[in-house]
Amino acid sequence: MTPPSSDPRQAYVSVQGTPYGQFQLPASGLTEDQYAAAEDLFRSWLEQQCKASVGFQVSGDLDYQERLGPYLGLTLNNVGDPYQTGAYTHNSKILERAVLDYFASLWNAKWPHRRDDPDSYWGYSLTMGASEGNLYGLWNAREYLSGHLMLHSGQDPRPSGGGRYAPAGGPAGPGSNSFHPVIFYSQDTHYSLTKATRILGIDTFQDVGRRWFPDENPLDPGTPWPAEVPSVGGADGDGTIDVDRLAVLVEFFASRGFPVLVNLNYGSTFKGSYDDVEAASRTVHEICAKHGLDERPVYFDHHAREDQVQPGNFDLRTGYWVHVDGALGAGYVPYLEMARRAGLVAAAPPVFDFRLSTVHSITASGHKWMGAPWPCGVFMTRTGLQMVPPRESEYIGSADTTLAGSRNGFSPLLMWDYLARHSYDEQARWAAECDRMAAYAESCLRALEKELGLDLWVARSPFSLTVRFRRPAAWLVQKYSLSYETIHVRGRRRTYAHLFTMRHVTPDVVDGLVRDLRRPGAFPVGDPVEQEQVG
Ligand SMILES: *Cc1c(COP(=O)(O)O)cnc(C)c1O
């Protein structure tokens, strides 16, 4: 055991006046009194913070405690494929399948999952949130576009212990790039996409552009390659991907033989904007088709000439993959669409789901729209697009088709509980109410703007559950857990905050926030929220 090298009570900041020392764990543990005092302090602080939290797209309307409390005394672990029970029998896979079927139906996929039906969906319940769904989606896409073995190809999945891996090509000739995927995502994309791209070693269009085509940025000849696909209107726009510019970039790489991996956002993190998945994915498909990247044969032995491979030794697959990051939107918009059909709201965002044959995978967080005490979510693709996992997993008795080893088995139970208790009708009503609440919050902030005579930069992207505005003083950011982001607008830096009107955000919560924003000093004069850009 090591003694501390300095006093930890000094090393960690206290949380709103709660001293860290009370939570420190001595070797003997805490006495009952110490425990009670510390736990009470922590809980009341947390309850207060949850109640006032408006800055994240996470529902705070939870009521699992009473029914699911007893499960804290049981071990649940869904290790391995959801559709194979496996050796670890105390799992919740039976509920997980029900939850996945529910989402498959909601997202217009073919269900139930059947291993022998490539058109049926396959998916799993995530141990993390949509970040894991993005990571897994990008892994699946990279393997698929790199020409690795598919689970469904009917071949012995591992001919000589590992299958054939296509070499990443260089820009020598049209054919040599065919298994070198290039990823495209917009400037409004969640940081988990960048992280997944780096973890997986996938090249972005900027990586390949800088390396092999340094002076050929087709968006703006003579300027450096941007890192991300521009959004409509740039940093100050609504936050949707600019489909025309995406098309220019995809054309550049598809015409040089590179397979194309596109992420689209359905409910972007900061502006809550919905990419036009239908238009964007159709555009990608059409460009790829022009360059033979729509449907292409991938031979299991890439080194064999076409006339040498055994018949059946290839599969047909697209030379592009469209992943939809629907962290909030894929969980919420289906109900908004129902609300529209029921006449509760006037309009809803465009379609994003498996009705589009051009969409390959979708992920959603469970804790965002549904609400859960911890991160969870769902990943979904088609069975025919599944790739062979890196190795066999006899030990767990089910295929190692998911990202995690041990996999959270409590989350499917939570999601099942929620979905079992809340009908389509109820959720469509909630969706309409949240939408109305966002409009209400926007109108309150606009009124405040007039009253204060200060430009608060109030904005709400179409159908979004978030309203963004000038970042207020630090104590307000703390009190309401307001997340914020600095955006460069016409050469100036602006720091925005935003609020989300999730189910727990009632008119009272909005009114309370606006009251606080009206206080003197809420928007400090000379606060560096807007500055000339340096450098
Ligand atoms: C929240 C969010 C994520 C990450 O989801 P987690 O569940 O927090 O991992 C990814 N993409 C978007 C658009 C998000 O809003």
Side-chain angles (χ1 to χ4, degrees):
M1 277 95 44
T2 57
S5 64
S6 67
D7 187 348
R9 285 167 303 183
Q10 309 296 318
Y12 304 124
V13 287
S14 67
V15 173
Q16 299 211 325
T18 304
Y20 171 74
Q22 266 195 274
F23 303 108
Q24 227 189 321
L25 295 165
S28 55
L30 297 177
T31 66
E32 245 177 71
D33 288 350
Q34 286 169 330
Y35 179 91
E39 193 271 336
D40 187 62
L41 206 58
F42 177 71
R43 186 162 28 80
S44 48
W45 168 79
L46 184 60
E47 282 169 355
Q48 172 54 37
Q49 287 309 108
C50 286
K51 209 160 62 200
S53 179
V54 299
F56 290 87
Q57 55 273 64
V58 168
S59 173
D61 181 17
L62 313 184
D63 67 340
Y64 300 104
Q65 219 166 334
E66 213 173 290
R67 286 174 318 283
L68 304 189
Y71 288 92
L72 287 178
L74 300 165
T75 49
L76 270 174
N77 191 329
N78 285 16
V79 59
D81 192 90
Y83 302 91
Q84 296 166 16
T85 299
Y88 199 101
T89 55
H90 33 126
N91 61 56
S92 64
K93 289 183 181 180
I94 187 97
L95 307 182
E96 181 178 7
R97 289 168 208 155
V99 169
L100 292 167
D101 274 3
Y102 178 98
F103 277 102
S105 172
L106 193 69
W107 292 343
N108 294 286
K110 184 174 180 188
W111 64 284
H113 162 73
R114 289 185 50 147
R115 232 188 332 172
D116 58 358
D117 181 357
D119 295 328
S120 71
Y121 86 91
W122 176 85
Y124 79 95
S125 161
L126 307 162
T127 290
M128 308 194 286
S131 298
E132 181 186 337
N134 288 335
L135 179 59
Y136 191 88
L138 262 51
W139 170 79
N140 203 323
R142 185 197 69 184
E143 299 290 283
Y144 179 86
L145 298 174
S146 304
H148 293 192
L149 285 173
M150 289 167 65
L151 204 52
H152 194 73
S153 64
Q155 294 291 306
D156 174 7
R158 247 164 254 95
S160 46
R164 275 269 174 204
Y165 278 53
S176 58
N177 302 326
S178 352
F179 296 107
H180 186 157
V182 176
I183 191 167
F184 302 81
Y185 46 78
S186 83
Q187 67 184 106
D188 278 84
T189 298
H190 190 256
Y191 59 86
S192 61
L193 262 298
T194 313
K195 190 158 59 176
T197 298
R198 291 305 168 216
I199 291 172
L200 294 164
I202 299 172
D203 276 333
T204 64
F205 70 87
Q206 184 192 47
D207 295 329
V208 177
R210 277 181 175 168
R211 200 179 308 142
W212 288 320
F213 314 101
D215 304 316
E216 297 178 51
N217 170 17
L219 288 182
D220 205 351
T223 68
W225 286 86
E228 291 147 341
V229 181
S231 297
V232 175
D236 200 25
D238 268 346
T240 54
I241 194 166
D242 186 327
V243 178
D244 294 336
R245 302 229 187 154
L246 173 69
V248 171
L249 290 166
V250 168
E251 170 69 33
F252 184 93
F253 289 91
S255 66
R256 288 164 174 80
F258 291 95
V260 168
L261 169 46
V262 177
N263 172 76
L264 297 173
N265 302 317
Y266 206 66
S268 70
T269 308
F270 199 74
K271 296 177 180 171
S273 52
Y274 302 95
D275 285 347
D276 189 339
V277 178
E278 199 274 323
S281 63
R282 177 168 31 82
T283 301
V284 170
H285 171 86
E286 283 166 1
I287 295 170
C288 287
K290 205 164 73 182
H291 301 293
L293 285 173
D294 51 342
E295 194 172 55
R296 56 177 187 161
V298 171
Y299 294 91
F300 298 147
D301 184 343
H302 298 293
H303 300 290
R305 289 211 324 267
E306 205 166 312
D307 57 350
Q308 291 173 339
V309 262
Q310 302 299 312
N313 257 15
F314 69 94
D315 56 60
L316 285 174
R317 45 178 113 166
T318 53
Y320 68 92
W321 184 290
V322 175
H323 173 73
V324 176
D325 176 3
L328 171 63
Y332 159 67
V333 174
Y335 303 112
L336 194 65
E337 208 179 309
M338 292 175 198
R340 181 185 58 74
R341 282 200 294 268
L344 300 176
V345 294
V351 169
F352 69 98
D353 62 25
F354 291 108
R355 277 171 282 185
L356 306 171
S357 61
T358 43
V359 165
H360 292 66
S361 54
I362 300 174
T363 191
S365 304
H367 55 291
K368 290 191 169 171
W369 170 251
M370 284 189 271
W374 49 74
C376 57
V378 167
F379 170 81
M380 195 165 286
T381 182
R382 295 189 180 85
T383 299
L385 300 173
Q386 279 189 273
M387 304 304 294
V388 170
R391 62 163 284 191
E392 271 175 282
S393 53
E394 184 189 0
Y395 173 71
I396 58 170
S398 56
D400 189 19
T401 47
T402 69
L403 184 76
S406 283
R407 202 155 55 80
N408 190 321
F410 209 125
S411 294
L413 169 62
L414 272 176
M415 292 191 276
W416 180 86
D417 176 88
Y418 172 91
L419 296 169
R421 290 180 302 107
H422 302 298
S423 65
Y424 279 3
D425 283 350
E426 188 172 20
Q427 298 204 67
R429 271 199 309 279
W430 284 345
E433 273 165 33
C434 290
D435 181 61
R436 261 196 297 279
M437 195 57 61
Y440 174 69
E442 185 189 8
S443 68
C444 291
L445 287 168
R446 288 202 186 281
L448 179 67
E449 188 168 57
K450 276 216 185 83
E451 188 185 320
L452 298 179
L454 175 68
D455 187 355
L456 296 183
W457 317 328
V458 178
R460 179 186 175 210
S461 296
F463 311 111
S464 171
L465 286 186
T466 184
V467 183
R468 52 192 187 275
F469 55 99
R470 178 191 283 258
R471 187 183 70 177
W475 71 272
L476 283 160
V477 170
Q478 266 290 321
K479 178 172 178 183
Y480 292 99
S481 296
L482 296 176
S483 57
Y484 53 89
E485 188 168 280
T486 299
I487 295 175
H488 296 263
V489 180
R490 292 180 292 276
R492 285 176 161 264
R493 291 182 48 179
R494 281 182 168 189
T495 304
Y496 282 86
H498 67 173
L499 63 84
F500 267 93
T501 53
M502 305 304 291
R503 283 200 309 281
H504 67 286
V505 179
T506 57
D508 283 351
V509 176
V510 174
D511 294 346
L513 170 66
V514 172
R515 248 196 323 277
D516 275 342
L517 291 175
R518 188 179 286 127
R519 288 172 197 258
F523 297 98
V525 191
D527 194 36
V529 285
E530 183 173 39
Q531 287 180 341
E532 289 298 337
Q533 190 178 342
V534 197

